[in-house]
């Protein structure tokens, strides 16, 4: 910027600031009121408004090609805020254009700054027609096998670039698992990862270990297109070109909602000059030829987040990766604030992608242009990003660690859930990864806080859902979402088809079609659970009865002996009170039974509900000790004054059980009990006496008629009930427990900002 321009801005900016302040203070006043009381002021305001209007029109004409564009009030009507709103909106848009022009000019002047290039996001990513897509699994030459009748066997017929022979690599391990007390102690049979030895021992090409070099720029995005590969001829041409490359970028698009295991729908491959998009649904059984490229150690395969891509490649296509470089591992080791591919594209390739296609249905054919562009963008810039990350890793001496981490990712293998290892193993991926292999449904019970007595119902529904999903080749969440499973498990007996169909949670298609079957399963499980509970009660009762015959009978004899000794030692005390009329020893109680008819087994079941337990005996023993302690204290006997008329003799009523009268814990003792001791009177505070006197006062019932006055605040009983809305919040079903937020310890926000 020249010195003359700097002098101009130095003079303009102070005047502009003062003008803005004056305009703000003027706008806070009632202008129309002052104009009505001062004609001179009104004239000055109108002339200033007219000049401001002319300046605004000059600015508008300067931003357009039409010189006749003009905004005016007509008849100099400049009163009121509403009249200026259209001009304010136009001026705001002009100022935004000025800011954008300044930013664009500033970016051009910077040598290392580039403007972002945006992905053409297009329209909706989902199936626009709204029709159901026919399942591509039905057209596969080799049908999908969900039976899990054997461990997963690699889909290989040969092994290119092998250090270990093909026969040795596909050998079955642990063909006969060992058991101890019906518990498996050795992992189930499995086939190893066929390229695990090559991944560990094949060296990376020397080019990746050399010193930092200038990154090779990617081809222009707007002037290049991807090649669509859906025939064997196009596949052969692509493999021929890739064999002469030194680095390639690979990515996959996966679908797992309308299939049990999931299917790979697309594969994107890019080299330094060309992009390819492969239809893996059409070429599913022909892509093993790519192993000549993917297992070649002299070709670096660049992935981003290959943790699951490695599994999908070997499970569906029989492909394995040697000499992997994972840009996700590189971003983790370099300490980037984010590790997503979108962050790397924006930071290193200056390309802004869209997230709305991440969950798109990639089974759609033909693919729309925006979906093709999104798939292509995942690999088009990845080799350039690889160059820049490699330079940073070499500079920070972290390249060896990233290559080691990439090897560990490449060695992962797929296995069926039934044949997963007993101990958790990060190298093995299964469709159902549960911390409790014997009870995989336990995580659902924990997440949704399902009561433990509903465990049987949850297990039955979980197994039914898994079986139907395998037979129909659908995902378990498509057959029965977890919320629906929990809602059905919480139904109370009796359960019928109407109860299943009318539950508040959304009912899926398969649950609706099998409502009667599910109702029968739930009801049968509830009845069986209740029967099992009664069996436990019977077992527990029998144990208590058997133990009473030996241990408790001896204890009863000891109690009777102690009671008789206590009475004999305190005979004088008891005779002086005149309250001892009859003494009975504690007899062994008779056990009562109740009879119940078992509908399932057509038998009569006898249950024991009279349990003379240890707790009652201990309570009797403690009562005797307390009486013995009180008998050693001298108790003053009150003299009964003589009266003219003798008192009527008290009729003694024998208690139903001696121990119930002797060992009662109530504060007020019935005078008809065997023994009554004089209660000690404790002086009460004055406040307590006042409260007792107030309680003893008579109640005033003069205003009792007000009690019958109806309460007008209550809601009327004949209130109309709301109709059931299946899409309301009440019908959403139980919600899973929210995950606790993990707080970062040891690193403050200031540290994070500095790192950025």
């Amino acid at each position: 910027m020249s010195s003359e321009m700097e002098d101009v801005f130095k003079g303009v900016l102070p005047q502009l600031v003062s003008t803005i302040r004056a305009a703000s203070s003027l706008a806070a006043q009632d202008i129309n009121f002052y104009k009505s009381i001062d004609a001179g002021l009104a004239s000055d305001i109108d002339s200033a408004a007219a000049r401001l209007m002319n300046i605004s029109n000059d600015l508008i004409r300067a931003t357009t090609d039409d010189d006749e564009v003009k905004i005016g009030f007509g008849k100099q009507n400049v009163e009121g805020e509403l009249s200026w709103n259209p001009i304010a909106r136009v001026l705001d848009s002009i100022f935004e254009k000025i800011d954008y022009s300044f930013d664009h000019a500033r970016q051009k002047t910077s040598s290392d700054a580039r403007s972002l290039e945006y992905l053409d996001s297009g329209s909706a990513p989902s199936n626009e027609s709204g029709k159901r897509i026919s399942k591509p699994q039905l057209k596969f030459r080799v049908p999908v096998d969900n039976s899990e009748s054997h461990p997963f066997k690699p889909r290989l017929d040969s092994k290119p670039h092998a250090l270990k022979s093909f026969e040795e690599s596909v050998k079955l391990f642990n063909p006969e698992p060992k058991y101890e007390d019906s518990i498996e102690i050795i992992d189930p049979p499995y086939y190893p990862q066929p390229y695990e030895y090559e991944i560990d021992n094949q060296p990376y090409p020397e080019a990746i270990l050399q010193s930092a070099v200038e990154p090779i720029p990617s081809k222009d995005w707007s002037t290049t297109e991807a090649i669509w590969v859906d025939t064997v001829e196009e596949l052969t041409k692509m493999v021929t070109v890739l064999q002469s490359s030194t680095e390639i970028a690979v990515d996959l698009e996966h679908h797992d909602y309308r299939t049990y295991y999931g299917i790979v729908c697309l594969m994107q491959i890019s080299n330094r000059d060309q992009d390819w998009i492969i239809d893996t649904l059409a070429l599913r059984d022909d892509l093993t030829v790519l192993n000549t490229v993917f297992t070649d150690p002299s070709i670096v395969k660049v992935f981003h987040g290959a943790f699951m891509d490695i599994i999908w490649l070997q499970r569906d296509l029989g492909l394995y990766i040697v000499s992997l470089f994972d840009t996700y591992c590189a971003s983790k080791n370099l300490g980037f604030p984010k590790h997503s591919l979108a962050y790397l594209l924006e930071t290193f390739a200056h390309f802004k992608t869209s997230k709305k296609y991440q969950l798109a249905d990639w089974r759609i054919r033909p693919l729309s242009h925006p979906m093709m562009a999104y798939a292509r963008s995942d690999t088009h810039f990845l080799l350039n990003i690889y160059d820049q990350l490699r330079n940073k890793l070499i500079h920070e001496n972290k390249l060896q660690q990233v290559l080691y981490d990439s090897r560990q990712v490449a060695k992962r293998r797929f296995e069926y859930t039934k044949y997963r290892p007993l101990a958790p193993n990060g190298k093995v991926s299964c469709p159902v990864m549960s911390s409790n292999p014997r009870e995989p449904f336990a995580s659902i019970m924990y997440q949704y806080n399902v009561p433990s007595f509903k465990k049987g119902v949850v297990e039955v529904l979980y197994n039914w859902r898994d079986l139907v999903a395998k037979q129909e080749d659908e995902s378990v969440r498509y057959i029965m979402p977890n919320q629906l499973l929990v809602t059905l498990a919480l139904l109370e007996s009796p359960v019928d088809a109407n109860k299943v169909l009318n539950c508040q949670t959304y009912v899926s298609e398969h649950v609706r079609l099998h409502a009667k079957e599910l109702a029968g399963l739930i009801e049968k499980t509830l009845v069986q659970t209740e029967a099992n509970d009664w069996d436990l009660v019977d077992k527990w009762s029998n144990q208590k009865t058997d133990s009473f015959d030996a241990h408790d009978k001896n204890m009863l004899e000891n109690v009777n002996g102690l009671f008789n000794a206590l009475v004999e030692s305190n005979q004088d005390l008891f005779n002086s009170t005149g309250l001892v009329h009859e003494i009975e020893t504690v007899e062994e109680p008779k056990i009562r039974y109740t009879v119940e008819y078992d509908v399932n087994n057509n038998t009569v079941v006898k249950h024991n509900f009279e349990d003379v337990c240890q707790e009652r005996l201990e309570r009797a023993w403690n009562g005797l000790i307390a009486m013995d302690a009180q008998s050693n204290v001298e108790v003053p006997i009150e003299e009964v004054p003589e009266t003219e008329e003798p008192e009527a003799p008290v009729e003694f009523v024998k208690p139903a059980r001696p121990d119930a009268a002797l060992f009662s814990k109530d504060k007020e003792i019935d005078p008809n009990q065997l023994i009554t001791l004089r209660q000690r009177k404790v002086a009460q505070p004055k406040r307590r006496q006042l409260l007792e006197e107030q309680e003893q006062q008579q109640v005033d019932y003069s205003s009792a008629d007000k009690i019958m006055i109806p309460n007008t605040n209550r809601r009327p009983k004949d209130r109309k009930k709301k109709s059931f809305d299946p899409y309301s919040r009440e019908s959403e079903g139980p919600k899973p427990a929210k995950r606790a937020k993990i707080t970062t310890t040891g690193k403050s926000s200031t540290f994070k900002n500095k790192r950025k």
Side-chain angles (χ1 to χ4, degrees):
M1 185 179 293
S2 61
S3 58
E4 296 180 358
M5 294 294 293
E6 292 180 358
D7 295 336
V8 170
F9 281 110
K10 286 181 180 179
V12 170
L13 289 178
Q15 296 180 6
L16 182 61
V17 171
S18 60
T19 303
I20 293 174
R21 288 177 179 173
S24 300
S25 59
L26 182 63
Q29 306 297 327
D30 191 353
I31 305 300
N32 293 329
F33 172 73
Y34 290 111
K35 288 177 63 177
S36 63
I37 62 176
D38 191 341
L41 179 62
S43 178
D44 294 340
I45 292 176
D46 291 340
S47 60
R51 284 188 287 118
L52 184 59
M53 178 61 62
N54 293 332
I55 295 173
S56 301
N57 286 325
D58 292 339
L59 288 173
I60 294 171
R61 284 192 291 268
T63 57
T64 60
D65 297 334
D66 191 358
D67 296 337
E68 297 181 359
V69 174
K70 183 178 180 182
I71 298 178
F73 297 123
K75 297 182 180 180
Q76 299 297 325
N77 182 19
V78 294
E79 297 180 2
E81 182 179 355
L82 295 177
S83 302
W84 287 90
N85 284 341
I87 299 176
R89 287 194 291 268
V90 173
L91 292 177
D92 287 341
S93 64
I94 292 174
F95 292 146
E96 287 183 3
K97 291 181 180 179
I98 293 173
D99 290 339
Y100 177 78
S101 299
F102 273 116
D103 292 339
H104 190 65
R106 194 177 296 112
Q107 288 180 359
K108 284 187 175 181
T109 56
S110 178
S111 59
D112 57 347
R114 293 173 52 188
S115 60
L116 287 176
E117 191 170 5
Y118 290 86
L119 174 70
D120 181 14
S121 58
S123 57
S126 59
N127 185 11
E128 298 177 359
S129 63
K131 298 181 181 179
R132 286 193 173 185
I133 302 174
S134 60
K135 299 178 70 171
Q137 302 96 298
L138 302 176
K139 301 179 182 179
F140 293 163
R141 295 201 303 266
V142 179
V144 177
D145 183 13
N146 297 330
S147 63
E148 297 190 359
S149 58
H150 53 80
F152 175 76
K153 186 175 182 179
R155 297 164 52 96
L156 285 176
D157 296 329
S158 60
K159 188 178 176 183
H161 307 286
L163 296 180
K164 185 182 289 188
S165 66
F166 171 76
E167 291 75 14
E168 189 178 0
S169 300
V170 295
K171 182 180 178 181
L172 182 65
F173 280 68
N174 299 341
E176 296 181 359
K178 295 182 179 180
Y179 295 88
E180 183 176 311
D181 297 334
S182 70
I183 299 177
E184 192 171 355
I185 59 175
I186 296 182
D187 287 338
Y190 69 95
Y191 291 94
Q193 218 266 28
Y195 276 92
E196 182 176 2
Y197 184 79
E198 284 76 12
I199 292 171
D200 278 333
N201 294 277
Q202 288 281 21
Y204 278 87
E206 295 182 0
I208 196 175
L209 304 174
Q210 292 178 356
S211 59
V213 295
E214 185 68 22
I216 301 175
S218 304
K219 294 292 182 181
D220 185 63
W221 170 261
S222 58
T223 59
T224 56
E225 292 289 340
I227 299 176
W228 177 255
V229 180
D230 60 351
T231 62
V232 178
E233 292 77 9
E234 290 292 336
L235 177 63
T236 304
K237 294 179 182 178
M238 182 193 69
V239 171
T240 303
V241 176
L242 293 178
Q243 286 176 342
S244 60
S245 303
T246 56
E247 304 96 3
I248 61 172
V250 186
D251 191 44
L252 303 177
E253 301 299 340
H254 188 258
H255 178 83
D256 60 357
Y257 184 61
R258 295 302 309 276
T259 176
Y260 184 75
Y261 291 129
I263 50 176
V264 178
C265 300
L266 283 183
M267 182 191 299
Q268 306 94 278
I269 301 179
S270 299
N271 63 3
R272 299 288 185 179
D273 302 317
Q274 185 61 55
D275 304 321
W276 291 271
I277 298 180
I278 307 170
D279 186 358
T280 54
L281 298 178
L283 300 174
R284 177 184 175 92
D285 302 316
D286 302 312
L287 290 174
T288 52
V289 67
L290 277 173
N291 274 324
T292 58
V293 177
F294 284 0
T295 61
D296 188 352
S298 63
I299 303 176
V300 178
K301 273 68 68 175
V302 182
F303 283 72
H304 181 80
F307 188 77
M308 290 306 300
D309 292 344
I310 295 295
I311 298 299
W312 299 337
L313 284 173
Q314 61 184 271
R315 183 197 66 198
D316 291 355
L317 310 177
L319 298 176
Y320 298 85
I321 305 297
V322 179
S323 296
L324 170 69
F325 183 94
D326 196 336
T327 54
Y328 175 83
C329 297
S331 65
K332 291 279 288 185
N333 281 273
L334 290 172
F336 290 164
K338 298 178 182 179
H339 310 296
S340 63
L341 179 59
Y343 174 79
L344 297 181
L345 287 172
E346 187 173 350
T347 304
F348 295 97
H350 306 283
F351 184 85
K352 186 75 172 180
T353 186
S354 176
K355 294 183 179 180
K356 73 179 188 177
Y357 292 101
Q358 288 181 343
L359 301 178
D361 191 349
W362 293 99
R363 302 175 302 161
I364 299 173
R365 297 294 183 271
L367 289 175
S368 63
H369 178 73
M371 294 179 72
M372 288 279 290
Y374 174 85
R376 177 189 170 213
S377 65
D378 288 345
T379 58
H380 180 79
F381 304 97
L382 198 54
L383 292 179
N384 177 260
I385 296 174
Y386 154 74
D387 293 338
Q388 300 182 59
L389 293 179
R390 191 180 71 89
N391 290 342
K392 289 181 175 292
L393 292 170
I394 293 174
H395 178 71
E396 298 184 16
N397 196 21
K398 295 180 178 180
L399 180 60
Q400 294 292 340
Q401 181 63 40
V402 172
L403 296 182
Y404 172 80
D405 294 341
S406 299
R407 288 181 192 266
Q408 305 311 310
V409 174
K411 290 192 298 184
R412 285 169 49 80
R413 69 176 178 90
F414 173 77
E415 188 55 85
Y416 296 134
T417 303
K418 182 179 178 180
Y419 294 92
R420 61 187 164 188
L422 298 180
N425 190 344
K427 296 182 180 180
V428 181
S429 176
C430 303
V432 180
M433 300 295 292
S434 175
S435 58
N436 188 357
R438 304 187 186 278
E439 295 181 355
F441 54 87
S443 59
I444 298 178
M445 297 186 63
Y446 174 78
Q447 186 179 14
Y448 289 88
N449 298 323
V450 181
S452 58
F453 65 88
K454 290 289 186 179
K455 175 182 176 181
V457 185
V458 174
E459 182 178 5
V460 168
L461 293 176
Y462 183 91
N463 293 333
W464 180 89
R465 179 180 71 170
D466 191 71
L467 179 62
V468 174
K470 289 179 179 178
Q471 293 175 351
E472 302 291 335
D473 194 22
E474 301 283 0
S475 65
V476 292
R477 65 181 188 275
Y478 178 81
I479 299 297
M480 183 190 295
N482 287 342
Q483 288 185 347
L484 178 58
L485 187 150
V486 173
T487 303
L488 295 178
L490 295 177
L491 293 178
E492 298 296 337
S493 182
V495 180
D496 54 7
N498 291 330
K499 217 169 188 179
V500 172
L501 294 174
N502 294 328
C503 65
Q504 293 183 353
T505 311
Y506 165 75
V507 179
S508 62
E509 180 181 358
H510 284 76
V511 173
R512 187 167 57 253
L513 294 176
H514 299 83
K516 187 175 181 180
E517 178 186 354
L518 287 171
L521 284 174
I522 296 172
E523 180 64 22
K524 182 179 179 181
T525 306
L526 291 174
V527 172
Q528 184 64 33
T529 303
E530 185 177 1
N532 294 337
D533 293 342
W534 279 114
D535 292 340
L536 292 176
V537 171
D538 293 342
K539 183 178 179 181
W540 178 76
S541 299
N542 294 333
Q543 291 177 355
K544 297 297 291 185
T545 304
D546 296 340
S547 62
F548 175 80
D549 293 340
H551 178 73
D552 292 351
K553 182 178 290 186
N554 295 332
M555 194 165 188
L556 277 175
E557 294 177 356
N558 295 333
V559 170
N560 288 330
L562 291 172
F563 182 77
N564 294 331
L566 178 64
V567 172
E568 292 177 359
S569 61
N570 298 275
Q571 190 69 32
D572 298 337
L573 176 63
F574 293 153
N575 292 336
S576 62
T577 58
L579 295 177
V580 178
H581 298 276
E582 184 177 353
I583 298 177
E584 294 184 0
T585 58
V586 181
E587 297 180 356
E588 179 181 343
K590 296 182 180 180
I591 302 174
R592 293 180 297 172
Y593 295 89
T594 181
V595 178
E596 180 176 286
Y597 182 70
D598 191 349
V599 181
N600 297 327
N601 300 325
N602 295 326
T603 58
V604 176
V605 182
K606 183 170 67 172
H607 295 285
N608 176 12
F609 290 101
E610 185 68 23
D611 181 22
V612 182
C613 59
Q614 185 76 16
E615 180 183 358
R616 185 158 185 171
L617 295 172
E618 291 178 359
R619 187 167 64 248
W621 174 250
N622 294 333
L624 289 173
I625 295 176
M627 287 181 56
D628 187 34
Q630 292 182 0
S631 63
N632 295 329
V633 182
E634 295 183 359
V635 180
I637 303 175
E638 294 182 353
E639 297 181 0
V640 181
E642 297 181 357
T643 55
E644 295 179 359
E645 297 181 359
E647 296 181 356
V650 178
E651 183 180 0
F652 174 75
V653 180
K654 179 182 177 181
R657 295 196 43 153
D659 57 349
L662 283 172
F663 310 129
S664 175
K665 292 185 178 181
D666 298 335
K667 293 182 179 180
E668 297 181 3
I669 302 177
D670 190 356
N672 293 330
Q673 292 178 349
L674 295 180
I675 300 174
T676 302
L677 300 179
R678 179 185 175 187
Q679 295 182 354
R680 181 183 177 186
K681 294 184 179 181
V682 182
Q684 297 180 350
K686 294 183 179 180
R687 184 176 181 183
R688 187 178 299 177
Q689 293 179 358
L690 293 175
L691 292 175
E692 291 182 356
E693 292 176 359
Q694 292 177 4
E695 292 178 356
Q696 295 175 358
Q697 292 180 0
Q698 297 182 354
V699 181
D700 184 14
Y701 293 98
S702 60
S703 60
D705 56 343
K706 296 182 180 180
I707 299 175
M708 303 303 295
I709 298 177
N711 187 2
T712 58
N713 295 331
R714 296 179 180 177
R715 297 182 179 179
K717 293 183 179 180
D718 57 348
R719 183 177 179 182
K720 187 177 180 181
K721 294 183 179 181
K722 295 182 179 180
S723 59
F724 175 70
D725 183 7
Y727 301 101
S728 63
R729 287 188 176 181
E730 299 176 355
S731 63
E732 293 180 356
K735 298 292 185 183
K738 292 186 177 180
R739 195 180 231 174
K741 186 177 180 181
I742 301 176
T743 57
T744 305
T745 58
K747 296 180 181 179
S748 63
S749 58
T750 307
F751 171 80
K752 294 181 179 179
N753 293 333
K754 288 182 178 180
R755 186 177 64 176
K756 292 179 182 179

